[in-house]
Amino acid sequence: MKAGLSQHTQLKQELKINPRLYQAMDLLYMPLLDLHAHLQQELLNNPFLEQVDADEEDEEESTEGAEETSAEEQEKEGKDEIDWEEILLDGFDAGGRREEHEEKEYYEPVTVDTRDLSDHLKDQIALLDLNERQTFLADEFIGNINEDGYLACSIEEIVRGVNDEVTRAAEAAGLPEERELPLYTIEEAQTMLGTIQSLDPPGVGARDLRECLMLQLKDAGLEQSVPFRLVRDCFDELINHRWSEISKRFGISPVDVQRAADEIAKLDPKPGLVYSAANDNYIIPDLIVEKIDGKYHIFLNDANLPRLKLSRAYQEIARDKKKFEGENKEFISNKLNSANWMIQAIEQRRQTMLKVMNYIVDRQRDFFEKGVQYLKPLTLREVAEVINMHESTVSRVTNEKFVQTPRGVLPLKFFFSSGLSTTGGEDVSARGIKDQIQKLVENEDPKHPLTDQAIVNILKESGVQIARRTVAKYRDQLGVLSARMRKRV
């Protein structure tokens, strides 16, 4: 090897993606509410953008604004102009690295104070006649109850943890050994656990499902009932639906055993979720499909979306080139180009979504007319090929988007699924097969439930070729138990 400096030339192709392309990807990906917030922010950040009034036509305003730009501005815009047709045909997955980063303002989400299970339990503890020592132990228990309402650790661990706190507090206060607080015992903790388990909701503080059900039955005054005995004495047989074994063991009929099991099934296996701080998720459909005079029409649900246009006042300022030089000129040029680009990008997003939804409605017409069993298999690639766009573009358009249809509000991903072959040579959507399995189970004889093989045979009679393991997989995805577990006596 020879050490030293040298120079050489090399030809290399490299694709650098304009930061605006990333913004275009974000616009396609954004659901309606996110897009609304984004456009409102753009209106605040870019003085060349303003909202179209209700009585104005945004298309005319945009065209008029484009015609008023000078030759120099148009030349500048031409350098940064995006070939939308090429982007959408080729997609955004072009590779390369993003070397330019745009500053994005960050907004801290506002937290709303909500009361959870822990607050509910502490309110009840405050009403009990407990001394400071007992209250401290109760707080330790409550802190170890998860949102399902179960105690997440053992009594020994709680005692160890609370005693460590007592010891640290004594050391911090510099108390002599004879004045240190006595440590908590297992007996004290067990007594406090009984107090915690007597609180609302019934079943809270349980260490497992069996104890949770017993606490709820005890709270209902059913300690001497058959359901309580089943949970206490033969829980494993109960959860495995071994009615005959339980019947022989307790000397009661299988019908009575099953009736008791039905009562147990009405209990809440996760009592703490009643007080969980779950967020409400509201869905606003991005598209609307309506049947008018026998034909399906697609509309964008963007009536409340801000309509953008170029500001006439700032365009007048931008015309006077003599007043602006250097940084001012560059600022005005960048903002004007950005405003023009944003208006084009929003319109392109609208057109892309309409193209995709129009094909979906055309392809899935039988679903809209007859129901989910007639849903046809559909892939992103198929849509992309028909509407002459890249598969990644279709994926972004359909992701986290919802459509309001005569058959309910559905995610766009609902219309995409794999297919199974039929004896007639046609394909059937996997989602449609699941719906058929669901209906077969709902209409079966409870005393003689359909096995997976029986479902296979029924579907085969209707022309659907499907394996038994596929039926079992679909059944599990639907949350349907096996035939033995569904059997009634």
Side-chain angles (χ1 to χ4, degrees), residues 25-45:
M25 288 190 289
D26 290 341
L27 290 178
L28 282 175
Y29 190 87
M30 286 180 189
L32 198 60
L33 288 177
D34 292 345
L35 181 61
H36 187 279
H38 179 76
L39 295 185
Q40 292 287 3
Q41 189 61 37
E42 284 293 326
L43 285 168
L44 293 175
N45 292 339

Side-chain angles (χ1 to χ4, degrees), residues 379-448:
T379 63
L380 295 173
R381 176 167 295 181
E382 179 183 344
V383 176
E385 289 175 353
V386 172
I387 65 175
N388 294 322
M389 290 184 180
H390 195 273
E391 187 176 342
S392 63
T393 303
V394 178
S395 176
R396 287 184 175 88
V397 168
T398 57
N399 195 67
E400 295 187 15
K401 308 291 193 310
F402 290 82
V403 56
Q404 178 180 311
T405 75
R407 294 194 173 273
V409 177
L410 304 168
L412 261 64
K413 292 291 187 183
F414 171 86
F415 298 99
F416 296 85
S417 66
S418 57
L420 297 171
S421 300
T422 65
T423 54
E426 298 178 353
D427 289 336
V428 181
S429 168
R431 200 181 300 277
I433 298 298
K434 289 182 185 179
D435 185 70
Q436 290 187 50
I437 294 173
Q438 182 78 55
K439 289 184 177 179
L440 287 172
V441 171
E442 290 174 355
N443 297 323
E444 69 185 1
D445 180 1
K447 294 184 179 181
H448 302 91

Side-chain angles (χ1 to χ4, degrees), residues 293-442:
D293 297 332
K295 294 183 180 180
Y296 288 99
H297 297 265
I298 295 95
F299 307 95
L300 280 165
N301 187 29
D302 57 357
N304 294 325
L305 207 62
R307 299 291 188 186
L308 305 181
K309 68 173 184 178
L310 293 177
S311 170
R312 288 184 177 179
Y314 279 94
Q315 285 184 78
E316 292 291 338
I317 296 175
R319 280 199 191 95
D320 193 349
K321 303 298 182 186
K322 297 179 181 178
K323 292 184 179 180
F324 300 100
E325 294 180 357
E327 292 182 1
N328 291 338
K329 182 178 179 180
E330 184 180 356
F331 172 81
I332 289 175
S333 180
N334 289 340
K335 290 297 183 182
L336 182 58
N337 291 338
S338 178
N340 271 317
W341 180 88
M342 179 60 66
I343 292 171
Q344 296 171 21
I346 295 300
E347 181 58 27
Q348 190 63 46
R349 178 187 184 274
R350 297 176 77 249
Q351 296 302 323
T352 305
M353 291 183 66
L354 287 173
K355 281 184 182 180
V356 172
M357 195 64 222
N358 267 294
Y359 179 74
I360 290 175
V361 171
D362 185 61
R363 170 71 173 167
Q364 305 291 5
R365 185 171 296 275
D366 286 344
F367 160 75
F368 291 104
E369 295 287 346
K370 303 175 184 178
V372 70
Q373 291 187 25
Y374 295 88
L375 197 67
K376 294 180 180 178
L378 184 63
T379 63
L380 295 173
R381 176 167 295 181
E382 179 183 344
V383 176
E385 289 175 353
V386 172
I387 65 175
N388 294 322
M389 290 184 180
H390 195 273
E391 187 176 342
S392 63
T393 303
V394 178
S395 176
R396 287 184 175 88
V397 168
T398 57
N399 195 67
E400 295 187 15
K401 308 291 193 310
F402 290 82
V403 56
Q404 178 180 311
T405 75
R407 294 194 173 273
V409 177
L410 304 168
L412 261 64
K413 292 291 187 183
F414 171 86
F415 298 99
F416 296 85
S417 66
S418 57
L420 297 171
S421 300
T422 65
T423 54
E426 298 178 353
D427 289 336
V428 181
S429 168
R431 200 181 300 277
I433 298 298
K434 289 182 185 179
D435 185 70
Q436 290 187 50
I437 294 173
Q438 182 78 55
K439 289 184 177 179
L440 287 172
V441 171
E442 290 174 355

